[in-house]
Every structure is written in structure tokens, then in C-alpha cells.
Amino acid sequence: MGGGQREVGEGSNVKANAKRRRRTWLKRKEKWLVVLGVVLHAVYMLSIFDIYFKSPIVHGIDLVTPRFKAPAKRLVLLVADGLRAEKFFESDSEVKFRAPFLRSVIEEKGRWGVSHPRPPTESRPGHVSIIAGFYEDPSAVTKGWKANPVEFDSVFNRSRHTFSYGSPDIVPIFCAGLPHTTWNSYPHDFEDFATYCDYYCFFSSPSTLMLTLYQFVCVNADASFLDECSFDQFKGLLNRSKEDPKLKELLLQDNLVVFLHLLGCDSNGHAHRPSSSIYLNNVAVVDSIAERVYNLLEDYYRDNRTSYIFTADHGMHDKGSHGDGHPSNIDTPLVVWGAGVKHPKPVSSSNHSDCGFRFVDEHMHETPTPTEWGLHGIERVDVNQADIAPLMSTLLGLPCPINSVGSLPLDYIDMIKEDEVEAVVANTKRILNQFLWKSQTKQSNSLYFKPFKPLGDYSSLLDKIEDLISIRDYAAARKLSEDLQVLALQGLHYFQTYDWLMLMTVIILGYIGWMTYIVLHVLQSYTSLAGYMFRKEQADHQTDNTRKEHSPPLYHSYTSMTVFLWTQIFSEYRFIKALWKELYGRRINYFAKILATGIFSVFILEFLVARSAYEGNKCWLSICNHDKKQPKFPMLFQLQALLIGLSSVMVSISTSRRTQKQELLALHQITNWSIAGISIVLPLFSANGLLSRLTSLFLGFAPTFLLLSIGYEAVFYGALALTLMAWILVENTFIYSSKVNRLPSSFNNMEDNVILDGRYLQLSDVRIPLIFMVLFNVAFFGTGNFASIASFEISSVYRFITVFSPFLMAALLIFKLFIPFLLVICVFSAITKLNRLPRLGCYFLLILFSDVMTLHFFFLVRNTGSWMEIGNSISHFGIVSAQVVFVLLLFAVTNMYTKDVNIGSADRSSRKAM
């Protein structure tokens, strides 16, 4: 009898020790698996930059020295930021044109057309394409806005000296690192989006003109004074040269560039819309500045050796935004006149020989000129925006920037036929040099190199061009050179996308391997399969994994990571074999249930990609019950309701002052900051019942969200809160109504249960991570997303800050976007507690589902279009890919709100009764 008891006791100890060892193994393995997931997703997330966003910039290419005489000694570049072509060319209601001086230039002195930027139509890429001649990779904006993330060549680099004045966001990009430049910009404080009049008085030694402008600005809240500031600084430079011999000598040199960046139209367009009188008056201001610059320089030099270019970096949509490919954003004015520029030419049938050509913005060549522009009879020459850089280089007789992909618009240049051909050949050779450099680099780094066959005999084509020039057949030489240039551009694109197929194959296999490994882990660790299928085999397998958990190094190669994953999968062959034996004997309806669940799950996930009576008081116990202690703050809900009302009042006051163009007082800002800070802390003092705590959370984040909202977002917040509350009630009702059926399976074989914080997962539990994915997606799209911050209304942060501060503004917007995520995570944590589900098991299912979406979003990443389109595609891929870390971090942040939530004992009481 005693021996039998000892045997039973020893058997129990063996089982307890085995269970303890398995729990320890499971804990270690999951730590390793989380680390592996973080590393894998971080490495694979970077792959889009090697595939879709590889920089077009190359270094070390030889310059192509022009073989023609420079038509001009100096060049003036005037860029009216945000000036829309339609508003510039059309007449006003009184049939008067808004830019009379430049209108006279078009009719009497120079050439005109429409410049077509390539989306994203933003200031930085627009100026890069104008000045450097290439379309900068959109990822450059993530590496720095104030200075060049990667040094690139530009017209300014090639000049003898550049004089530049304008916005502190644009001028330093091109001039801060150049030794041969003189530049200046106004302070950032001048770009106050709420009011402009309070800062203009800070000019040192204001002139009479500036004081007059100050009065004008105070009355009209007009940003055109920024343009006047740039002009005034340039005028001061010329005045100083009369007393500074060295400056005078420098100004008399050749190969000089003057750049004036005129920000007024952009600021006024954002603040007042392009149809406003303030924006339209600003068009007249930039026209006046162009006239004054022209008169100043012509009077200063008196040699007719100055070229002038007036254009814009992008246009402006009717709603005061830009960035996408809307015609109002991609149609910008271009007016060129002065030394080396052709005079106006009447329209004739021979002017439209290139009607099949498409520009980078997909506009057809020579689209009809609107009648309201009144320019039908004067030849219009449209260009791609990157064509302006080789135009400037040719006028000054300088080598083109080495990364330029623009074509030389010969219809603007007044040169003899021989020099025209030489200019085209120089431009072609520069693009060809880029192609050859990329071809050689790729050949030296590839095991199996596939050349670009159409340019296999480029050297013979160059020789033929030289022969045609030598026999003075300039038309044929020009045609052959232009054809060679087209092939070189195609070759550049070929090598820009050369590695796509290989990299995408490796990444796809990697994601499939990771998802397969996650499925195997969940089946092994969080289902009852491992508990009764093969205990002995699993014990052997524990030893193998314990030995292997220290072996995986930090992988920096996509291929190595993919190979490693599939190696880990194959190492689970014992479990896979046993799983196959177990499933082989199941009935057909079991597989039908699994298939139906899988199809439904994939359908829900793909839908997100495409987007995005209770039975009595007992069922409320688990979510309403809390400890018997007195609440820490008895009047908490009343105080939170008061803060919501106060925040609504502050929203009304702030909006009213902005509508009246009045500055937001410091008292208002302090009040808003105080309301936001206090309201976020208050939920920590609420009762610890599930419903009480979550209600307090919804109320606690509402004031901050309201203060950062300008429209429908407030309604969205309320709708999301109600939806989350409904989810809790539905889950609680489901648990109570199916309690009798669920309890036996939930607590079956509890002595074998090694899960640390809950019960085994069942097939029906898949609904919870799926619903979470739906709500997480709703939170993502409800008010915008991280990539579209640039397209948000800047007034979202006016109640906290009005002076332009990009980092603080971005932080406020990001926090606003985080609030819905925090609410969803809090409710998800509560529901896992309510269902007694292992939170890590649900976490791995979330990662599995998110990676199905990640793989789809991987194919939807865009590298062309607006910032919003590009950013959305990146953020969709990045957010779902980063959920392996993102969700864990949100769990940690929200844990301080949910860690002491008391679920109640209704479920446990039922278990004891059974």
C-alpha cells in the first residue's frame, strides 16, 4: 500500500518536473522567437529601399565639357513656390492679366510654356529637378530636409559663384555646403501659419519699403512679404557692391547664377486657397519682383548677357494642398528670356511635330492652350521639369549636372546649328555616362550579368554622330543623338530595376517561411495537439531546441535570413511527421472546417488590404466586477466629462480666432496643453472593473483627440469607442451563453497544460485576432496614417502651436494617430483576459495574419506619385510589417492602464460548480 502511494507520488513529481521543464523551454523559445521576428521584419522591411527606392545618384562620373560658346555670362532663376499655371496665365474678372510684365516678355522678348513636374509635387523634389535635373528618390525626405542626405551635383555646383535668397527650408539644401556661394534666408518664425504680421517688425534696420509692407501685411495677413524680403536682400547685395570692390569684381565674372526663392504663393495658397484674392494678388507681387530684378540687373550690367528663367516648383489644388498628380499641381508656368533665348514665334502647323510624346506626368505633348490665357497665336513649348537644368547649363556654357536626366529643350535656345548639335550631343553623352557607370558597377557585382542589349554598340553610334557633324549634316546628327539619348534613359531604368526579381523572390520565400514557422509553433505550444499526440517525441525535441536557441546570429542578408528560416522549418520534421499522421486519420468535415476558417481569415485580411438580449445579470459580473476598495477618485467621471466640455469650448475659441486671423494667445495654448496632460493621466485613478476602466480610458483620451481634430475625426472617435464597447459586450455574452459547452474543453487535461497565462487555443478563437486586425485597420485609416502627415491640415495643431516647428507638429500629429491604436490594444488585452486566452499565443496569430497582409502590401509599394500615394504604400507595408514590434510596444504602453483590471469570478465559480 505504502509502495503504491510512493509510486503515485513519484509519478506526480516526474509529471510536475516535466511540466516545469516544458514551461521553462516554452518561455525561452518564445523570447528567442520574438527576437527572431523583430530582426527578420526589420531586415525585410529595409528590402523595399533596395527594390523600390534605390537612389539614382551616382558619383565619380566624368563631366562632359561643352564644345560651344556660352550664350550668356550670368543667369537669374526665379522660382515662385506653389504658383499654379492657370492662375498665372489667365486674366481676372476685369479681363486684366495678373502678371503684366511677364506677359509682355512672352509677347515681345522670350519663350513660354508649361513645365511638368513629376509627382510628388512638393518643394524639395521640385527644386531638385529644376536645379539638379533629376527626380530625387522619395526616400531622401526620410533622411533629412534641411540639408542634402546624399550630396548631388547641380547647376549651382558648376557655376563660378551662386547668389541665393529665399526660404530657410529650400536655400540651404543647395547652398549650405557650397564654398562658392553667397546666400541668406529669413528666420523660420516668419513662416507662422496663423498670422504673419507679428514677426515682420523684427527685421533689423527696416527700410521705408519694409515698414510699408509691414502695414500691408498686418491688414491683409499676407505672406507675400516673404517674397519682398528675398528681393530686398538681393537688392542690398547689389547696393553693397558699389562700396565693396571685391564683391563688385565677383559680380562682373562670368558663369554666375542668381537664385530667388519666392515662397509667398505657397504660404498664401495653404492659408487662403488659390482662388482667394490674397493668393491672386501674390501673383502680381512675384511679377513685380521679376520686373524689378530685370531692371536692376540690366541697369547694373548694361551688356545684354543675362538670361532669365521664371518658373514654379509645383502648383496648388483648389483646396490649398499639393503633392499628387492633379493637373493643378503638375502644371507650372515657364517663361525664359534674355541672352541666348529665342524670341516669340507665331504658331504654325509645323510647330506640332512631336504630338505623340508624353511628359513625365503623363500629359500629352502640346495640349490645347485654354482660351482664357489669350496666348493662342504664340508658340508654346512645354518641357519636363528636369529639362530646365540642362537649359540653364547650356545658356551658361557649363557641364550639365552629372545625374541629370533632362532633355535639352532646343526650342528655347538661340544658337547656330553647329552649337545646337554640340549641346544635344553633350547632353546625350552625360546620360550615356550614367548608363555606362551603372552597367559596369552591376557587371562587377553580379555572378550572372545580363547586359542591356540595345546599347551594345553605343560606341559605333557615337562615332557615327561625330562623322555626321564633321560633314555638317547637323539634322541627322541631332536625330541620331536624340535617339541614343532615349536608349540611354531606358538603360538607366533597366539597371535601376535590375535586382528586383531576385530580391523579391528571396523576400517572398522568407515571409512564407516565417509564417510556416509561426503556424508550427502555435500548433506545438498553444493547442492540445502536442499534449496527447507525442509526449515522448516532444520531450526529445525540447532538448534539440534548447541547444539551438543560442545559435541564430544577427543576420543582415535577406538570403541568409530566408535560408535560416527554412532550415528551422525542416528541423521540425518530427513534429511535421507526427502532425501529418494525426491529420491523416481525420474526417473530411474536420478539413472542411479548417479550410473554411482559413478562407474566411484570408478574405477578411484581403478586404482590409482593399479597403478597410443578454440573458441576465450573471453575464455582466465578469466585466462589471471590481475589488471592494473605495475608488481613488469618486468624482472622476464628472471631472472627465467637464474636461471634454472644456476642450470643446477651447476648440471653438481657437477656431474663431483663426477665422478672424487673430493670434492664439499664450493663455489659450497653456490651457490646451494642461487639459491634454491632465486628461491622459486621470484613467489611472479609475475603478478597476473592466467596463469602468475602459470607459474612463475612452473619456480620458477624448479631450486630447478633440483638441487635435478639425472635422469628422471627433465623430470617428466616438464611433470607434462604441464599436470597441460593443465588441466587449458581444464577447462576454458569447462566453456566458456557451459556458456549458466550452468549459469541458477549456479545462480538459489541465494537468498537461503548460501555457503560462491561459487555456489552450481553439479554432473558434481565431475570431479574436481577426476582429483585432479589422479594428486595428480601422484605427489606421480612421484619421489618416503616418505617411500622410504631410497632407494633413496644418490647423490640426493650431491649438497647441502656431509657429512652424516641423518636429513638434509631427509629434503632435503622430500622438493623435496613436490614440485609436491605444484604445484598440486596451480592449484587446481586456478580451484576452475575459476569454482566459494566452496573450502571447494571440500575439503570434496576430503576426501571422499581419504577415499575410504584409506580403500583399509588399507588391503594392509605389515609388512614383504624390507623397501621400508613395507614403501610404510605404506605411501600409511598414505598419503591418512592424506589428511584430509595434503591438508589443503598445502592449507595454497600455499595460499601465490595464494591468490591474479585475475580470471577476463568474467563470471560475462555474468551473468549481462543475
Side-chain angles (χ1 to χ4, degrees), residues 8-136:
V8 172
E10 290 173 358
S12 299
N13 289 334
V14 170
K15 286 185 177 181
N17 290 335
K19 185 176 180 180
R20 197 161 42 247
R21 285 196 302 271
R22 190 176 171 201
R23 284 187 174 182
T24 303
W25 164 80
L26 178 60
K27 196 171 182 179
R28 285 201 304 263
K29 182 180 179 183
E30 289 190 328
K31 287 181 179 178
W32 170 81
L33 195 58
V34 169
V35 172
L36 174 64
V38 171
V39 173
L40 178 140
H41 285 80
V43 171
Y44 284 175
M45 201 184 302
L46 295 176
S47 68
I48 63 170
F49 295 101
D50 284 328
I51 297 173
Y52 296 103
F53 300 103
K54 198 160 186 175
S55 174
I57 299 173
V58 295
H59 298 283
I61 301 177
D62 294 333
L63 293 172
V64 178
T65 304
R67 300 185 298 190
F68 55 87
K69 184 179 178 181
K73 287 186 66 175
R74 66 202 68 87
L75 181 139
V76 178
L77 174 63
L78 304 171
V79 178
D81 200 309
L83 178 56
R84 179 167 152 182
E86 173 196 359
K87 302 300 181 184
F88 174 79
F89 289 117
E90 71 182 6
S91 61
D92 59 19
S93 57
E94 299 177 358
V95 198
K96 294 181 180 179
F97 295 102
R98 302 186 182 101
F101 168 72
L102 291 171
R103 184 85 179 184
S104 67
V105 167
I106 294 172
E107 295 172 347
E108 302 168 7
K109 298 178 182 177
R111 305 286 270 167
W112 77 284
V114 173
S115 171
H116 299 274
R118 188 183 78 173
T121 46
E122 299 284 352
S123 293
R124 180 191 172 102
H127 282 86
V128 168
S129 62
I130 290 171
I131 300 169
F134 70 94
Y135 302 102
E136 187 177 31

Side-chain angles (χ1 to χ4, degrees), residues 52-53 118-120 138 360 861-867 869-871 873:
Y52 296 103
F53 300 103
R118 188 183 78 173
V360 291
V861 173
R862 296 187 57 177
N863 55 8
T864 58
S866 69
W867 277 145
E869 292 165 339
I870 295 171
S873 70

Side-chain angles (χ1 to χ4, degrees), residues 36 87 135 141 158 169 176 220-221 272 292 300 333 345 350 380 496 509 579 619 642 683 693 749 857:
L36 174 64
K87 302 300 181 184
Y135 302 102
V141 77
R158 299 293 140 214
D169 295 319
N220 296 276
H272 306 290
R292 281 178 276 163
Y300 188 90
K345 183 178 180 181
S350 61
R380 165 183 166 182
Q496 191 74 14
L509 288 176
L579 181 63
C619 74
L642 178 64
R693 177 60 54 85
N749 295 326
F857 282 128

Side-chain angles (χ1 to χ4, degrees), residues 54 58-59 61 434-446 449 495 498-499:
K54 198 160 186 175
V58 295
H59 298 283
I61 301 177
Q434 295 180 65
F435 163 79
L436 294 175
W437 188 93
K438 290 194 174 185
S439 177
Q440 293 165 4
T441 302
K442 191 59 62 180
Q443 185 173 8
S444 62
N445 296 331
S446 301
F449 177 69
F495 286 114
Y498 184 84
D499 294 324

Side-chain angles (χ1 to χ4, degrees), residues 749-769:
N749 295 326
M750 284 301 293
E751 68 275 5
D752 295 326
N753 189 357
V754 297
I755 299 175
L756 303 178
D757 60 348
R759 59 174 173 81
Y760 283 131
L761 289 172
Q762 301 175 6
L763 193 59
S764 61
D765 294 325
V766 170
R767 76 183 183 280
I768 294 174

Side-chain angles (χ1 to χ4, degrees), residues 146 167-169 185-203 223 225-226 263 267 663 801-806 809:
K146 303 298 181 187
S167 166
D169 295 319
S185 59
Y186 39 79
H188 271 287
D189 289 349
F190 285 18
E191 300 175 8
D192 188 330
F193 287 90
T195 176
Y196 296 104
C197 59
D198 293 327
Y199 297 105
Y200 203 72
C201 56
F202 287 107
F203 274 115
F225 80 94
L226 300 175
L263 185 63
S267 297
E663 184 185 6
I801 182 174
T802 59
V803 177
F804 183 71
S805 177
M809 288 176 167

